[in-house]
Amino acid sequence: MHKTIHPIWQLFAVVMILVGFFVLPSPVRSGEKAGSWWEAETAMGKDGLLEIGNKPWWQRAKKLKAGEHFVVKSAEPGGGSMLVRRERWKSRGKTQEAIVWVIDDDGDFRPGDKDGDKDNDCYVADYGGDGKVDRMVDYIDNDKDGKPDEMDIRYFVDGCMRRAWFGVDLDKDGHMWNISQY
């Protein structure tokens, strides 16, 4: 069964996208005050780059084999758990790899977990392991009901953010876009 969205909700979605482009603050840059530890972790440099090659855990991440992971605690004030893993998959007949950094925004990561969740975690992917971010997918649960209410997908070229998609869960079913391989 296909659900149609009422035109007023469609208009609301367009307005929210425009608000995202023109009103929301720009990403945190190096030297600026971040509001939370995870914002500080993902702050871009003065040149607009978002690199993970300068993180204290980077050398360890580069040595991971596909399927391996480790958990680290953020050194930022109030910092929480972060998972770092190497993934491998086939796409269009080509084998690809990425180092994926999962930031547990809401503190519900448990020992033994091998993945984050999709209610309040952020996934940062570095395809090819050059230390520069290629993709970021961030889930946001504003009402703390365990389902995402918003979702950001940010695309980077050579570590610089070039474009982004922002989604809002208008029908409150916890689904926006189905994202695979970030």
Side-chain angles (χ1 to χ4, degrees):
M1 185 166 101
H2 179 71
K3 294 193 312 188
T4 58
I5 298 176
H6 192 276
I8 193 73
W9 288 114
Q10 292 174 343
L11 176 63
F12 178 75
V14 169
V15 169
M16 292 305 294
I17 289 169
L18 291 173
V19 166
F21 282 112
F22 298 109
V23 178
L24 292 177
S26 62
V28 178
R29 293 183 186 256
S30 179
E32 292 180 356
K33 184 173 177 12
S36 61
W37 70 269
W38 57 87
E39 288 174 325
E41 283 286 355
T42 58
M44 290 190 275
K46 289 181 183 180
D47 53 2
L49 286 175
L50 179 52
E51 296 182 283
I52 59 176
N54 57 5
K55 298 293 182 183
W57 44 261
W58 177 249
Q59 292 305 315
R60 185 175 172 197
K62 287 191 337 183
K63 295 175 186 174
L64 289 173
K65 292 180 176 41
E68 294 181 334
H69 72 280
F70 60 86
V71 176
V72 294
K73 183 167 171 58
S74 171
E76 295 294 333
S81 296
M82 305 180 298
L83 180 133
V84 180
R85 66 178 177 231
R86 183 176 291 267
E87 294 183 8
R88 180 181 295 149
W89 68 93
K90 280 198 175 246
S91 176
R92 298 180 184 150
K94 182 179 174 187
T95 300
Q96 298 184 21
E97 283 197 11
I99 294 175
V100 179
W101 174 32
V102 183
I103 303 167
D104 181 27
D105 295 5
D106 58 353
D108 63 355
F109 193 78
R110 293 179 307 273
D113 282 352
K114 295 180 180 177
D115 200 358
D117 55 43
K118 291 185 178 168
D119 65 335
N120 243 349
D121 290 352
C122 179
Y123 297 77
V124 180
D126 173 5
Y127 302 130
D130 63 358
K132 295 179 183 172
V133 172
D134 294 294
R135 194 84 71 246
M136 180 188 294
V137 179
D138 193 10
Y139 297 92
I140 305 155
D141 179 11
N142 294 319
D143 57 10
K144 303 196 186 327
D145 66 353
K147 296 186 295 188
D149 298 303
E150 298 177 40
M151 178 180 174
D152 297 355
I153 306 170
R154 301 174 190 195
Y155 298 85
F156 296 78
V157 175
D158 293 325
C160 289
M161 189 169 73
R162 295 292 185 225
R163 64 185 187 275
W165 291 90
F166 304 95
V168 177
D169 182 19
L170 299 175
D171 61 1
K172 298 294 187 186
D173 67 353
H175 301 286
M176 284 156 279
W177 294 301
N178 185 15
I179 303 297
S180 63
Q181 308 311 342
Y182 316 100

